Amino acid sequence: VRTWLAVVPALLLTLTHVSARVSPRGSDDAFPQAVQPFLADHCFGCHNTTKAKGGLDLKAFRTADPVAEAPDTWEKVAAKIRTGEMPPEDEERPDPAAAAAVSRWIDEHLARADAAAPADPGRVTTRRLNRAEYNNTVRDLLAVDLQPADEFPQDDSGYGFDNIGDVLSVPPLLAERYMVAAERVSRAAVFGTGQIKPTLVRCQPRARSIQPSPLVPARYDETGLAMPNAVHATRRLPAAGTYRVRVFTGGSRPAGSEPVRIALWIDGAKIAEQTLDPTAVASFTDDKQDFSGKVREFELSLSAGEHWIAASIPAIFEGLPASYGGPRPSALPEPPPPVFVPPADADPERIERRRKAFEAEHAAPVPANDARISYFEVAGPYDVAPGPSLETKQHLYACGHLSGGHTSTCPRTILRSLTRRAYRRPVTAGDLEPLLALFTSARAHGDSFDEALAAAVHAVLMSPDFLFRIERGGPAGAGAADADLLRLTDHELAARLSYFLWASMPDRRLRRLADEGRLGAAGVLDGEVRRMLQDPKAQALVQEFGGQWLQIRALESAAPDRDRFPAFDDYLRISMRRETELFFERIVREDRSILEFLDAPWTFVNERLALHYGIEGVRGPAFRPVALDGLPRAGVLTQASVLTVSSYATRTSPVLRGKWILENLLAAPPPPPPPGVPPLPDATATAPQSVRQQLEAHRANPTCASCHRRMDPLGFGLEHYDAIGAWRETDGNTPIDAAGALPDGRTFHDTAELRAILAGEREAFTKALGAKLLTWALGRGLESPDRRLVRSFARDLPRDGYRFSALVLAIVHSPAFQMRRGSPS
Amino acid sequence: MMLTGRCLPRRTFLKGVGAVISLPLLDAMTPALRAAAPAGPSRLAFTYVPNGVTMADWTPAGAGRAFDLPRILQPLAPFREQLLVVSGLSHQNANALGDGPGDHARAAACYLTGVHPRKTAGGDIQNGISVDQLAAAHWASETRLPSLELGCDDSRTVGNCDSGYSCAYTNSVSWRGPVTPMPPELNPRLVFERLFGAFDRDADPAVRARRLHDRRSVLDAVTGRARALSMDLGAHDRRKLDEYFTSIREIERRIDVAEHDTRDLPPGIEKPPGIPVGYADYVKVMFDLQVAAFQADQTRVVTMMLGREGSLRTYPEIGVPDPHHPLTHHGGKTDWIEKVTKINVLHMELFAYFLGRLRDTPEGDASLLDRVMLVYGSGISDGDRHAHDDLPVLLAGSGNGAWKGGRHLTFAPGTPMANLYLTLLDRVGVTPESIGDSTGKINQLTDM
């Protein structure tokens, strides 16, 4: 067996059954002998000089090794032959052994060509900080967590991410917001956030249907969080301080109930509970206790940033009158049944009407679980600490005078330290003089020391050196044959690392290593990367990169039809997102294999998600790892978050899900539909035909078939999961058929078999994740030399057990990450 | 931030939408530097709807003065005499022209520019200057904000927006220059702060003066840095920074204006709390803000997108739980078309609310509706086919007599939409040689 086979076991998996039977042609054979005859038989009919279908003329390649001339083209050719996408279905099928041998020949020559190619780091356009980076950088620079960039206009995305230098522009609106944000942040750093005025916001459920019942279920969520009568919201708080949460209730309980409790939850933990006794206030009816308009206020101290706030009625089926049969029935005497009192001075007819109305009203038993949280209000912050925090003072006052008493050299000391961190590089007199001049002028104008300092800090935050990540590179030609190639300085490398893994500025340790010129030293760089991946700030990688790669950011605006999916509420929405984040975090933190994204037999759930997935024995809102043995779920693909964002509001879409898999897991995005094609019948779940039948009819059209035979079957394999990711056996009245056949002839009967097939696509998945992560790390679209790097991930990662850090390190070690092309002036 | 349970300040509930912003006309509000301006300047307001409309329920049967308002236009019946329904205009440059799929991105990008946008997911976006920005540049020195861009789609975009086109194209109809889209502001509170100042309203004059001085010094420091940076950076990087420095200069100008602007916040106006939960409430607040902006002459040019192109918004409140865009690919199914039409009608009802607010806001001896030129439409006509010809176009208001209303105008197929823009700009004294693919002005706006 040839050596290259040893390093590409992924390929082996799909090819061994072929190579066992035929002896492959020697890879030392030149192109005219090894490949051309196959192409002539199967490809030239369309891909010739005159037709050049899909813009590809394979006849034009005549040299002994054309792969080096157009590696990306041949990578695609090999992939299409290997997956059976080409030649198209209606053409004669090539001999599998011959096809395998040809794609293998191409792969091997690709590896050689890649190894021989000169380094080319490409060009990264100066990037401004995006919203998340701005928030995080300000937080780390001054320990001021105001999240000011939440008020910036949306960052445009390109290549699937919102950190692409070429795409991030600075419209006038953004510059205006910079001005406001920088002033707020600088004043908060010098004077504290005490100037923030308290605001009051009301948090209401989007839509819900509460169906009260007099029956007490055998099992229910005793925290109340998963009940439709709870209210969940996420709020981003501008500052740490005291907040008041006022919980408004509604609905009713039968007379004779014990008081109910109102629980307040912050980030999944119960913070406080208060009882609410409806008997304390008069009720309009005598067999019900009315909650409407009753309020409980909680005062609590909260940190700045995003919080998940929820109010619920725990143990709602407890304390009911004994006749309801709930657990822990009420000790209060059961009230006598209401008695009809005929109105005085009324004629018999009228009394009879009243009696009928009375009987009708009391005929149905009073629901046991009608009490609800209507909404809550969050007011604050109050009692914000008057000055800046100690941490902020330590960040800002490099002169060491944390409580005033500055000397004449302090402004320079303070601003030198601040700019070094804010500009992420050593600073010069030229950087400092304008700031000191500003400080002096402000003083001369009547500003206090603090006012003048705030103005100088404001100027630092408005400087392009802060807002943009400007890279110049080290001395030309250093360490490279190409005089145009520049190695990044250690400080620039530190910033690339920190924005890649933390979406924020370098920390003290990275800065020190860069100052000492040791960051690039052997062993140091790898150690730093590993340390950074363990740091809590690496959550940004999960939220920012992960949220866009897996597209779960779209959960935020997902609006599943409430009639079809009444189970979808904000608790479930929040839980879905959290599951996927925790899953990704664990892979990063424990440096697990990236292949677990495809088939990990574990995940994280809380009670709400456990209910959604049908997992027993999980209580409470806290997430915990669970094994998925015996459950039809594994990997990200069957997580409710992914299944929801790849569905329409009213129904599943095999096409969307197939496309999601091809784009995000297999690096084989289908081209967009050609213009003028008839619309997909995909959406008519209500029509008598099943979605599957319609899609199959659709694929009879050869124009559609070439892509849809790749997308649709993948989506069919997930049809057991509805549009919010719950398991189902039928769609309407049609039993689910989750079988499918891929273009290369492989078939599956259900999701598990489909997953097994996908789990075998290690090479494709490594390339898919690798290309996405590289795009994110570089902040630019990938070009031909980058494709080379992506191919090398697929070759090298098996050696490292596909560990997540191995992929990150492969990116960090690449010329694209460590070098830049000099700027033409 | 994840928008789950919607959070809203209580004020909204107490006061009700529509009452949140009401701005009496106060002559004292007119800043001194605008004293020379005519009593009631014309304004331009563009309202964009995504994904096309059901043309069968949009295009009136008759032409000239004899036309009936079809179902979608019915909500505008009270304003019939101020309407000009325009049929037959096209955006050829929104067609593929060899670029393949991406009609939604092209529809939005081309809508106000008439230019065929370059197909790219990133790097080298290229479009044209939009008609609103040409007008904005003209009036830049007369109002505090040259223009205002608004949107009503608060969802975040994920990934590529349309078939290999950058999200910049689908998100913005307004383009200050070929590479500078003007992203819409989505949050009513931030729009308010932009229009009427975010801070310093209650600071004492001495503090205010010091702050202004400090702000100007901050900007001086930034522009000082511009010279040094432009020396040692490559062309590509320089372009990015230039964009920033250009914006900074605009803020400098605004600070100069603010220094002479000593008026207080007019009474009766209140800051909207945030993005309302219901779509109709959301859109109404944004329209209210436009009225307030025009009334206080803070800007004379507004563009507003009722949704971004390709919008997936659902409208369960009117019986349409399905996302908008897939519905428009109805393949002729009548129940789907009906749902699309319902959405179209809702949008038009909201637009009628806007017209009503303008009509009820007096200015001098007329109303704001008499001053404003409103253009309502989409860069797509039939959403099912992604057609960019015979676009749904509607002019409303009057723009100080820029047109004679109460008519349905029909143009020969293929007449560029940009010709209409050229004509409208001419009405306010802006006379570029051409806009996008324009071939000349049209003279039917006033000719009977």
Side-chain angles (χ1 to χ4, degrees):
Chain A
V1 180
R2 289 166 207 291
T3 46
W4 66 268
L5 273 179
V7 292
V8 194
L11 194 57
L12 244 173
L13 283 179
T14 51
L15 294 184
T16 34
H17 67 288
V18 175
S19 32
R21 275 185 280 115
V22 297
S23 114
R25 268 180 264 212
S27 62
D28 291 333
D29 282 356
F31 179 73
Q33 295 83 48
V35 178
Q36 222 165 24
F38 179 92
L39 300 182
D41 285 352
H42 298 288
C43 312
F44 285 176
C46 297
H47 300 291
N48 58 38
T49 316
T50 42
K51 268 193 185 169
K53 214 162 175 197
L56 180 64
D57 172 13
L58 287 172
K59 261 185 143 168
F61 295 103
R62 296 166 195 281
T63 55
D65 181 8
V67 171
E69 295 164 30
D72 300 346
T73 304
W74 288 101
E75 183 187 6
K76 280 188 209 143
V77 170
K80 302 245 176 198
I81 295 175
R82 189 165 50 241
T83 60
E85 192 187 337
M86 284 287 151
E89 214 167 18
D90 47 352
E91 297 290 331
E92 187 201 336
R93 306 310 302 164
D95 168 39
V102 164
S103 66
R104 207 166 59 221
W105 186 95
I106 297 171
D107 281 340
E108 186 183 352
H109 283 76
L110 261 177
R112 283 187 200 167
D114 289 352
D120 183 350
R123 193 187 304 281
V124 176
T125 301
T126 291
R127 253 180 292 172
R128 70 158 169 83
L129 304 182
N130 70 13
R131 298 203 296 190
E133 290 166 346
Y134 188 101
N135 279 338
N136 295 344
T137 304
V138 161
R139 177 199 65 202
D140 294 343
L141 181 68
L142 290 165
V144 171
D145 200 5
L146 290 174
Q147 310 285 336
D150 291 359
E151 302 197 339
F152 295 174
Q154 252 201 17
D155 297 314
D156 284 323
S157 310
Y159 311 104
F161 296 101
D162 63 2
N163 68 343
I164 304 297
D166 274 322
V167 180
L168 292 170
S169 58
V170 190
L173 174 60
L174 179 59
E176 246 180 273
R177 293 270 185 267
Y178 279 157
M179 195 67 188
V180 175
E183 186 163 314
R184 266 182 71 203
V185 170
S186 55
R187 298 191 72 78
V190 174
F191 300 106
T193 47
Q195 296 161 329
I196 297 179
K197 288 187 190 129
T199 54
L200 174 70
V201 292
R202 175 185 289 195
C203 300
Q204 280 197 308
R206 282 185 200 222
R208 57 179 174 178
S209 87
I210 298 176
Q211 278 153 353
S213 102
L215 299 175
V216 176
R219 181 195 174 300
Y220 68 100
D221 179 3
E222 285 166 25
T223 66
L225 287 169
M227 309 279 289
N229 63 4
V231 174
H232 296 256
T234 47
R235 282 284 302 152
R236 200 187 267 288
L237 303 178
T242 302
Y243 287 82
R244 290 188 200 125
V245 182
R246 304 180 67 200
V247 181
F248 292 75
T249 58
S252 64
R253 289 245 293 188
S257 297
E258 302 272 1
V260 299
R261 288 171 289 155
I262 306 294
L264 188 73
W265 308 72
I266 304 292
D267 299 324
K270 187 159 70 182
I271 296 298
E273 220 176 63
Q274 294 187 35
T275 53
L276 179 56
D277 185 358
T279 56
V281 183
S283 190
F284 288 111
T285 49
D286 43 10
D287 58 341
K288 280 195 285 198
Q289 295 171 341
D290 199 352
F291 287 92
S292 43
K294 300 198 170 56
V295 185
R296 279 291 171 270
E297 183 169 304
F298 298 81
E299 192 171 282
L300 58 162
S301 138
L302 291 171
S303 59
E306 193 179 284
H307 290 288
W308 162 25
I309 306 174
S312 74
I313 301 176
I316 190 170
F317 293 109
E318 291 180 18
L320 289 164
S323 58
Y324 281 78
R328 278 193 279 275
S330 170
L332 301 171
E334 190 119 359
V339 179
F340 176 69
V341 184
D345 312 329
D347 57 76
E349 232 170 82
R350 183 135 171 247
I351 291 178
E352 196 45 36
R353 268 208 315 277
R354 287 282 187 91
R355 183 195 302 282
K356 278 198 175 133
F358 176 85
E359 278 165 3
E361 197 188 328
H362 296 280
V366 178
N369 55 339
D370 193 27
R372 68 193 61 186
I373 309 295
S374 301
Y375 57 88
F376 57 77
E377 293 175 347
V378 183
Y382 302 100
D383 307 330
V384 176
S389 69
L390 178 64
E391 205 188 348
T392 294
K393 287 181 183 169
Q394 285 164 343
H395 277 63
L396 184 60
Y397 296 110
C399 55
H401 307 126
L402 301 194
S403 40
H406 303 288
T407 63
S408 60
T409 56
C410 280
R412 181 179 290 272
T413 312
I414 291 170
L415 289 171
R416 187 193 296 115
S417 158
L418 180 69
T419 46
R420 281 183 65 241
R421 288 176 289 129
Y423 300 171
R424 302 162 285 256
R425 59 172 171 79
V427 291
T428 63
D431 290 312
L432 289 178
E433 289 320 322
L435 298 170
L436 289 165
L438 193 163
F439 178 87
T440 312
S441 146
R443 287 290 271 156
H445 228 79
D447 277 5
S448 66
F449 183 97
D450 286 350
E451 288 278 352
L453 181 61
V457 175
H458 186 180
V460 170
L461 297 180
M462 286 304 283
S463 169
D465 302 274
F466 168 73
L467 294 168
F468 292 82
R469 290 169 49 201
I470 298 166
E471 293 173 345
R472 294 186 174 77
D482 188 340
D484 197 25
L485 291 189
L486 307 178
R487 183 162 289 281
L488 296 181
T489 67
D490 268 20
H491 290 97
E492 288 164 352
L493 182 61
R496 280 214 181 174
L497 283 173
S498 68
Y499 283 94
F500 173 22
L501 301 177
W502 293 343
S504 186
M505 59 184 274
D507 65 356
R508 184 193 302 263
R509 187 180 156 87
L510 283 171
R511 220 163 30 238
R512 206 188 64 226
L513 288 168
D515 288 346
E516 295 166 356
R518 295 200 298 127
L519 184 56
V524 175
L525 185 59
D526 291 17
E528 284 308 296
V529 167
R530 293 211 169 84
R531 173 181 75 87
M532 293 175 75
L533 287 172
Q534 294 300 318
D535 192 287
K537 282 192 276 191
Q539 255 194 16
L541 182 69
V542 171
Q543 283 176 4
E544 301 301 320
F545 168 76
Q548 294 179 81
W549 167 44
L550 298 171
Q551 299 181 4
I552 56 168
R553 260 194 193 178
L555 263 186
E556 193 180 302
S557 50
D561 181 22
R562 66 181 98 127
D563 293 331
R564 290 181 178 82
F565 305 102
F568 190 86
D569 58 12
D570 287 325
Y571 188 20
L572 185 56
R573 182 199 307 272
I574 292 165
S575 302
M576 285 179 176
R577 181 179 80 159
R578 200 73 200 113
E579 176 197 10
T580 303
E581 286 176 357
L582 287 167
F583 179 91
F584 198 148
E585 266 175 47
R586 185 180 194 184
I587 288 182
V588 174
R589 199 180 55 244
E590 299 180 4
D591 200 10
R592 302 174 77 99
S593 162
I594 58 169
L595 299 178
E596 292 202 281
F597 282 112
L598 295 176
D599 63 353
W602 51 267
T603 190
F604 288 84
V605 296
N606 61 2
E607 181 164 3
R608 182 69 194 86
L609 214 51
L611 182 74
H612 196 55
Y613 289 171
I615 298 174
E616 296 293 327
V618 176
R619 288 307 179 94
F623 277 83
R624 69 216 70 182
V626 290
L628 292 168
D629 310 325
L631 285 160
R633 292 183 198 264
V636 286
L637 193 52
T638 43
Q639 291 181 2
S641 57
V642 167
L643 292 163
T644 303
V645 300
S646 59
S647 295
Y648 287 124
T650 46
R651 57 199 142 76
T652 62
S653 164
V655 180
L656 281 189
R657 285 182 177 168
K659 184 162 169 271
W660 191 96
I661 293 173
L662 289 173
E663 273 180 2
N664 302 311
L665 301 185
L666 298 179
V677 295
L680 278 180
D682 161 58
T684 38
T686 49
Q689 274 184 313
S690 72
V691 170
R692 170 184 285 265
Q693 285 166 330
Q694 290 173 51
L695 282 173
E696 276 164 1
H698 181 72
R699 287 207 304 282
N701 178 342
T703 319
C704 309
S706 68
C707 294
H708 280 275
R709 70 196 184 98
R710 288 168 58 207
M711 290 189 278
D712 304 356
L714 294 169
F716 289 146
L718 295 169
E719 273 294 271
H720 268 303
Y721 307 90
D722 69 14
I724 58 170
W727 179 265
R728 61 180 179 180
E729 293 292 345
T730 58
D731 181 10
N733 296 321
T734 324
I736 296 291
D737 173 6
L742 299 178
D744 59 7
R746 286 181 288 176
T747 59
F748 54 86
H749 293 96
D750 54 26
T751 309
E753 290 185 22
L754 169 64
R755 184 165 45 242
I757 289 176
L758 291 176
E761 294 290 336
R762 298 171 168 208
E763 179 183 338
F765 175 70
T766 306
K767 284 183 183 174
L769 175 55
K772 297 275 184 187
L773 198 58
L774 183 61
T775 304
W776 169 258
L778 298 177
R780 62 167 171 80
L782 300 189
E783 284 155 23
S784 187
D786 307 313
R787 297 296 318 161
R788 219 152 63 206
L789 183 59
V790 171
R791 288 192 290 271
S792 79
F793 298 156
R795 292 187 198 109
D796 298 343
L797 248 63
R799 261 205 315 263
D800 294 306
Y802 292 95
R803 272 179 299 118
F804 187 77
S805 68
L807 179 57
V808 172
L809 284 168
I811 289 172
V812 168
H813 287 158
S814 69
F817 194 81
Q818 297 203 3
M819 303 176 91
R820 74 188 306 267
R821 198 164 271 293
S823 311
S825 24
Chain B
M1 159 178 176
M2 179 122 160
L3 285 167
T4 56
R6 301 303 188 90
C7 300
L8 262 200
R10 187 169 60 172
R11 180 96 56 201
T12 311
F13 297 87
L14 297 179
K15 303 208 59 162
V17 177
V20 172
I21 297 151
S22 61
L23 192 64
L25 179 77
L26 293 177
D27 286 335
M29 284 163 41
T30 314
L33 77 159
R34 286 204 303 279
S42 296
R43 281 86 151 188
L44 271 167
F46 296 88
T47 306
Y48 188 84
V49 287
N51 303 334
V53 304
T54 308
M55 292 308 290
D57 290 321
W58 169 287
T59 311
R65 289 200 60 83
F67 71 101
D68 290 327
L69 288 174
R71 182 170 159 204
I72 296 173
L73 301 182
Q74 265 305 323
L76 301 183
F79 307 97
R80 185 189 159 102
E81 284 311 305
Q82 281 114 327
L83 293 187
L84 210 46
V85 186
V86 184
S87 296
L89 299 182
S90 301
H91 263 320
Q92 293 307 324
N93 277 333
N95 289 318
L97 309 183
D99 285 347
D103 281 289
H104 289 282
R106 286 191 298 264
C110 178
Y111 182 66
L112 294 180
T113 64
V115 166
H116 186 66
R118 178 186 289 157
K119 184 161 195 173
T120 172
D124 40 353
I125 53 169
Q126 180 87 31
N127 194 10
I129 302 179
S130 56
V131 54
D132 60 303
Q133 289 302 305
L134 289 167
H138 175 68
W139 279 315
S141 59
E142 306 201 27
T143 57
R144 212 168 56 80
L145 297 173
S147 65
L148 191 62
E149 293 74 35
L150 307 176
C152 301
D153 237 332
D154 63 327
S155 58
R156 285 169 82 172
T157 48
V158 180
N160 285 326
C161 279
D162 184 9
S163 313
Y165 280 93
S166 160
C167 292
Y169 294 127
T170 35
N171 289 350
S172 299
V173 289
S174 176
W175 289 67
R176 146 171 298 207
V179 299
T180 312
M182 302 285 275
E185 179 57 78
L186 309 174
N187 186 331
R189 178 175 60 82
L190 298 178
V191 176
F192 175 91
E193 288 177 357
R194 204 159 174 236
L195 283 171
F196 301 108
F199 35 88
D200 282 4
R201 281 286 162 197
D202 23 58
D204 91 67
V207 173
R208 208 168 128 100
R210 272 216 318 272
R211 287 268 182 99
L212 278 177
H213 169 266
D214 286 353
R215 272 177 215 152
R216 192 173 286 116
S217 311
V218 165
L219 294 173
D220 284 348
V222 174
T223 41
R225 188 73 185 122
R227 280 184 292 279
L229 273 176
S230 61
M231 304 287 275
D232 69 340
L233 286 181
H236 223 63
D237 294 339
R238 213 155 48 211
R239 205 186 76 190
K240 284 284 158 195
L241 289 167
D242 281 348
E243 220 175 60
Y244 178 56
F245 295 126
T246 308
S247 301
I248 287 297
R249 276 185 285 276
E250 190 171 312
I251 297 178
E252 283 185 314
R253 191 190 65 79
R254 214 165 294 158
I255 286 183
D256 290 340
V257 174
E259 193 161 32
H260 301 107
D261 177 6
T262 50
R263 67 215 150 107
D264 288 325
L265 191 65
I269 181 156
E270 273 172 19
K271 190 191 283 194
I275 298 176
V277 181
Y279 177 71
D281 293 343
Y282 185 4
V283 173
K284 283 179 180 175
V285 165
M286 295 303 251
F287 278 137
D288 288 341
L289 284 162
Q290 287 191 56
V291 174
F294 286 149
Q295 194 180 2
D297 204 16
Q298 295 291 296
T299 186
R300 294 187 190 163
V301 182
V302 183
T303 53
M304 166 142 138
M305 300 178 79
L306 287 181
R308 72 166 64 87
E309 194 46 74
S311 164
L312 295 172
R313 180 181 284 283
T314 60
Y315 296 83
E317 66 276 17
I318 53 164
V320 185
D322 322 68
H324 187 181
H325 172 223
L327 274 182
T328 60
H329 293 288
H330 45 69
K333 282 187 289 291
T334 48
D335 51 335
W336 289 31
I337 295 174
E338 171 60 21
K339 287 180 175 173
V340 173
T341 307
K342 277 184 173 172
I343 296 172
N344 300 154
V345 170
L346 172 69
H347 287 156
M348 196 55 81
E349 286 166 356
L350 293 167
F351 187 62
Y353 166 85
F354 184 29
L355 297 188
R357 289 291 327 275
L358 290 168
R359 180 195 55 203
D360 299 340
T361 308
E363 181 175 84
D365 54 359
S367 78
L368 268 185
L369 189 58
D370 299 317
R371 310 283 189 220
V372 185
M373 290 190 252
L374 296 119
V375 182
Y376 180 103
S378 176
I380 292 179
S381 47
D382 173 5
D384 194 20
R385 289 186 304 117
H386 287 151
H388 307 293
D389 56 348
D390 194 13
L391 293 167
V393 181
L394 177 76
L395 305 183
S398 141
N400 285 322
W403 58 70
K404 293 202 178 91
R407 292 182 299 147
H408 175 209
L409 295 186
T410 52
F411 288 91
T415 307
M417 177 82 173
N419 287 4
L420 172 66
Y421 296 151
L422 206 58
T423 315
L424 294 179
L425 283 187
D426 183 64
R427 294 290 193 274
V428 295
V430 183
T431 53
E433 281 195 8
S434 64
I435 297 173
D437 61 349
S438 68
T439 55
K441 291 197 273 285
I442 53 181
N443 43 28
Q444 290 91 326
L445 293 191
T446 41
D447 295 358
M448 300 295 273

